[in-house]
């Protein structure tokens, strides 16, 4: 599958360090890709299969497509004439193709981006080996690998833009493959920067990932091994079965404290602060021109909205107003007034809504202001 292939490609790109290992990996990748260029080879195979020039011919499906034309009869009236046109389509045998080529023809271009990144890593690492740089034909070997890698990457893009795939290549995969091509194009000029980006940074990112997963697993294991506060042989205390004259005992006091903590009757100031934070509702996104959030306070039949408006643009927003609408048995008491908000400034507006029943209602609205 594509997931297994992507994992294998990443391992090969990260841990092939010596020149012999890189050559062995390159040979295996070429066998898994097949004939180059990718698109030209597929076009030639399709033509050979369609014409029957090869011995192993892919099965053909003949479909009849109706076509209609209009004729003029002898009496001057029109008549419609229908005919069937046979169209021959050639089916592609993906099972007989090399694995990486078959994955690309299945429109799995995420695996294609991993292949391009692996090729770029191998070429960049091959170009930094001391034994290759010191040899007489070192530059020729590096250029040969680079040219072949660029040919494969260009074939991935051209396959993705051809009619041999059911789904064309997506923009993210296209940009990733193109970035790898440009990296190999400028590897002589920015060798250190590209080596850090493709080799060192990926290894450090993987180390951080492994460290995070290890810490998460250790925390989960520690959580599962925490000793219980109550042992299996401890006595169970029932408040309803306690004696009336034992109200001042330590056991009853501890039960009372537990009940207060469970019902939230403890520290009133901390509960108030937490309850206020829980009542804050975000109304717009952090990247919007105007950021808004509301503190919702409910008092029996009144709902009070305290809205903070933040101008995140570098211009003044004039006549800014918040227009509310309600659904259900809710009624807006007064409409908020409009005001001006300076650049990178904020303001506050309050709105009161009356509730006339216990049915479910919806409060929504829009933020309106004059353009610059």
């Amino acid at each position: 599958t594509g997931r297994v292939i992507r994992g294998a490609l990443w391992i090969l790109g990260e841990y092939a360090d010596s020149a012999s290992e890189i050559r062995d990996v390159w040979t295996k990748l070429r066998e898994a890709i097949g004939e180059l260029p990718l698109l030209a080879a597929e076009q030639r195979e399709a033509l050979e299969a369609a014409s029957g020039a090869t011995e192993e011919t892919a099965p053909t499906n003949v479909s009849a497509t109706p076509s209609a034309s209009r004729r003029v009869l002898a009496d001057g009236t029109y008549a419609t004439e229908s005919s069937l046109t046979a169209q021959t389509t050639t089916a592609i045998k993906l099972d007989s193709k090399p694995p990486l080529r078959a994955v690309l023809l299945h429109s799995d271009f995420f695996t294609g981006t991993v292949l391009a990144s692996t090729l770029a890593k191998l070429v960049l690492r091959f170009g930094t080996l001391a034994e290759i740089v010191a040899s007489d034909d070192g530059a020729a070997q590096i250029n040969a690998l680079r040219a072949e890698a660029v040919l494969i990457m260009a074939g991935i893009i051209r396959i993705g833009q051809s009619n041999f795939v059911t789904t064309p290549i997506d923009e993210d995969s296209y940009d990733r493959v193109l970035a790898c091509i440009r990296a190999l194009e400028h590897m002589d000029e920015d060798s250190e920067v590209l080596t850090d980006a493709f080799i060192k940074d990926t290894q450090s990112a993987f180390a951080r990932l492994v460290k995070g997963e290890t810490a998460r697993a250790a925390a989960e294991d520690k959580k599962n091994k925490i000793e219980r506060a109550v042992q299996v042989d401890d006595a169970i205390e029932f408040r309803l079965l306690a004696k009336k004259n034992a109200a001042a005992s330590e056991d009853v006091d501890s039960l009372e404290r537990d009940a207060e903590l469970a019902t939230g009757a403890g520290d009133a100031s901390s509960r108030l602060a937490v309850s206020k934070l829980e009542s804050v509702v975000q109304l717009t996104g952090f990247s919007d021109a105007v950021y808004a959030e509301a503190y919702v306070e409910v008092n029996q039949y009144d709902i009070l909205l305290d809205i903070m408006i933040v101008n995140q643009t570098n211009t003044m927003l004039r006549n800014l107003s918040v227009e509310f609408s309600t659904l259900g048995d809710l009624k807006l008491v007064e409409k908020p007034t409009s005001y001006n908000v300076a650049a990178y400034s904020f303001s506050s507006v309050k709105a009161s809504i009356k509730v006339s029943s216990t049915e479910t209602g919806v409060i929504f609205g829009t933020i309106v202001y004059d353009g610059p």
Side-chain angles (χ1 to χ4, degrees), residues 59-345:
T60 58
N61 299 326
V62 179
S63 60
T65 304
S67 61
S69 60
R70 301 184 68 182
R71 295 184 57 190
V72 181
L73 300 179
D75 56 355
T77 60
Y78 289 95
T80 302
E81 182 181 43
S82 301
S83 61
L84 294 177
T85 303
Q87 295 181 350
T88 303
T89 59
T90 303
I92 302 176
K93 283 186 176 181
L94 297 181
D95 296 337
S96 60
K97 294 184 179 295
L100 285 177
R101 183 187 291 264
V103 166
L104 294 176
L105 293 175
H106 272 298
S107 301
D108 187 0
F109 295 107
F110 182 32
T111 304
T113 60
V114 178
L115 172 61
S117 179
T118 301
L119 295 175
K121 291 178 182 179
L122 293 175
V123 175
L124 290 172
R125 187 178 287 112
F126 190 78
T128 58
L129 295 177
E131 56 182 298
I132 300 299
V133 176
S135 61
D136 297 335
D137 59 342
Q141 296 182 37
I142 296 173
N143 289 333
L145 282 185
R146 177 165 60 174
E148 194 169 11
V150 171
L151 181 62
I152 296 173
M153 296 177 193
I156 295 172
I157 294 178
R158 296 196 65 190
I159 282 286
Q161 296 174 342
S162 67
N163 56 358
F164 288 97
V165 293
T166 56
T167 305
I169 186 171
D170 55 284
E171 294 183 1
D172 292 339
S173 300
Y174 176 85
D175 292 341
R176 178 61 177 169
V177 176
L178 194 61
C180 294
I181 294 176
R182 290 174 177 171
L184 295 184
E185 179 184 357
H186 300 285
M187 64 176 291
D188 294 334
E189 306 166 7
D190 305 320
S191 177
E192 295 183 0
V193 176
L194 293 173
T195 302
D196 291 341
F198 277 87
I199 299 176
K200 295 182 180 179
D201 289 349
T202 56
Q203 292 177 353
S204 61
F206 179 67
R208 291 194 299 269
L209 177 63
V210 172
K211 184 178 180 181
E213 291 293 336
T214 304
R216 190 178 298 109
E220 188 70 20
D221 188 44
K222 182 178 179 181
K223 181 180 178 182
N224 295 333
K225 292 182 178 179
I226 292 179
E227 295 183 359
R228 301 300 177 184
V230 180
Q231 301 298 326
V232 293
D233 56 348
D234 287 349
I236 301 177
E237 299 176 353
F238 296 94
R239 293 186 62 201
L240 295 177
L241 301 180
K243 295 181 180 180
K244 294 182 179 179
N245 57 1
S249 65
E250 295 181 357
D251 295 339
V252 178
D253 290 341
S254 64
L255 290 174
E256 292 292 341
R257 287 194 299 270
D258 293 341
E260 289 180 357
L261 293 175
T263 56
D267 190 0
S269 60
S270 62
R271 291 200 318 274
L272 182 60
V274 172
S275 62
K276 284 187 175 182
L277 290 176
E278 291 177 349
S279 300
V280 175
V281 180
Q282 183 179 343
L283 304 180
T284 61
F286 291 110
S287 60
D288 292 336
V290 179
Y291 173 75
E293 64 180 20
Y295 166 65
V296 183
E297 183 178 359
V298 181
N299 295 320
Q300 293 184 350
Y301 298 102
D302 294 331
I303 298 177
L304 179 62
L305 301 178
D306 188 358
I307 305 170
M308 183 183 70
I309 305 293
V310 181
N311 180 9
Q312 301 190 111
T313 63
N314 55 1
T315 59
M316 175 179 288
L317 301 180
R318 302 182 182 277
N319 298 326
L320 188 145
S321 63
V322 183
E323 300 178 355
F324 288 101
S325 300
T326 60
L327 293 178
D329 294 334
L330 303 174
K331 182 179 179 182
L332 185 64
V333 177
E334 58 181 351
K335 181 179 180 182
T337 59
S338 60
Y339 46 91
N340 300 332
V341 182
Y344 302 110
S345 181

